[in-house]
Amino acid sequence: MGTRTKLALRLGLVAIGAGIVLSLACGGDDDGGSAKTYGVKAQDYGFAGLPKTVAPGSKLEMTNSSNKELHEMVVIRLPDDEKRPVGDLIKLSDEELGVIAETEPAMVLIAAPGEDAMPVLGDGTLTEKGRYAVLCFIPTGADPEAYLNAAENGDGPPEVEGGEPHAFKGMYGEVTVK
Ligand SMILES: [Cu+2]
């Protein structure tokens, strides 16, 4: 037996050991544990600290650490049969997205540069099990004040000057509620 094989075996055994400890800790359940509050940091251009899996009833909070850009966290529940990564979905047109494009987000949080987010839609809690896309559609370089004013005074996403949405620069992620 070569050294490589032995190492692989040993690593395998360690993984099995860790698996046993983990399943004992969770009582063998396949759920995401108990509901918690998670602090997510919005930055130029991405979400830091986004949990992969949360229990139903968990809450997401957001702080914007940018010193210039407004950021938002739009969280949309994906259909159960939608398996593609969010990075693929953001490249599709509304037509190609079909039902996803028409789905009302489970939450929208928005935060000015350096501020804590306020909920615009929902209260930050995710109740329904499933996979959720997490996105920021703020146009790059948009003036935060102009955007917030437009959002307050209009219906739907405000039309303000700016470049491509932050999601296209990598500001997206996903969370699974289970
Ligand atoms: Cu953003």
Short mmCIF file of all heavy atoms in Angstrom, two decimals, residues 70-72 136 138 166 171, ligand 1:
data_model
loop_
_atom_site.label_atom_id
_atom_site.label_comp_id
_atom_site.label_asym_id
_atom_site.label_seq_id
_atom_site.Cartn_x
_atom_site.Cartn_y
_atom_site.Cartn_z
N LEU A 70 -24.66 52.08 -1.61
CA LEU A 70 -25.87 51.56 -0.97
C LEU A 70 -25.90 50.06 -1.27
O LEU A 70 -25.48 49.64 -2.34
CB LEU A 70 -27.05 52.25 -1.64
CG LEU A 70 -28.46 52.03 -1.13
CD1 LEU A 70 -28.62 52.67 0.24
CD2 LEU A 70 -29.46 52.65 -2.10
N HIS A 71 -26.37 49.26 -0.31
CA HIS A 71 -26.51 47.82 -0.59
C HIS A 71 -27.86 47.33 -0.10
O HIS A 71 -28.44 47.88 0.84
CB HIS A 71 -25.40 47.01 0.09
CG HIS A 71 -24.07 47.15 -0.56
ND1 HIS A 71 -23.85 46.84 -1.89
CD2 HIS A 71 -22.87 47.57 -0.07
CE1 HIS A 71 -22.57 47.06 -2.19
NE2 HIS A 71 -21.96 47.51 -1.10
N GLU A 72 -28.34 46.29 -0.76
CA GLU A 72 -29.59 45.68 -0.35
C GLU A 72 -29.43 44.18 -0.34
O GLU A 72 -28.47 43.63 -0.89
CB GLU A 72 -30.74 46.07 -1.31
CG GLU A 72 -30.57 45.48 -2.70
CD GLU A 72 -31.71 45.82 -3.65
OE1 GLU A 72 -32.70 46.41 -3.21
OE2 GLU A 72 -31.60 45.48 -4.83
N CYS A 136 -28.19 41.52 -4.57
CA CYS A 136 -28.21 42.98 -4.49
C CYS A 136 -28.31 43.52 -5.91
O CYS A 136 -27.44 43.28 -6.73
CB CYS A 136 -26.95 43.52 -3.80
SG CYS A 136 -26.93 45.33 -3.76
N ILE A 138 -28.73 46.85 -6.60
CA ILE A 138 -28.43 48.29 -6.65
C ILE A 138 -27.46 48.55 -7.81
O ILE A 138 -26.47 47.84 -7.97
CB ILE A 138 -27.78 48.76 -5.32
CG1 ILE A 138 -28.67 48.44 -4.11
CG2 ILE A 138 -27.44 50.25 -5.37
CD1 ILE A 138 -29.93 49.23 -3.97
N HIS A 166 -25.15 45.34 -8.68
CA HIS A 166 -24.05 44.74 -7.90
C HIS A 166 -24.00 43.21 -8.05
O HIS A 166 -22.94 42.63 -7.95
CB HIS A 166 -24.20 45.09 -6.42
CG HIS A 166 -24.06 46.56 -6.14
ND1 HIS A 166 -24.28 47.10 -4.90
CD2 HIS A 166 -23.70 47.60 -6.95
CE1 HIS A 166 -24.08 48.41 -4.95
NE2 HIS A 166 -23.74 48.73 -6.18
N MET A 171 -22.21 40.17 -6.19
CA MET A 171 -22.95 40.37 -4.95
C MET A 171 -24.22 39.51 -4.96
O MET A 171 -25.35 40.00 -5.14
CB MET A 171 -23.31 41.85 -4.77
CG MET A 171 -23.72 42.16 -3.35
SD MET A 171 -23.49 43.87 -2.92
CE MET A 171 -23.85 43.74 -1.17
CU CU B 1 -24.93 45.99 -3.32
#
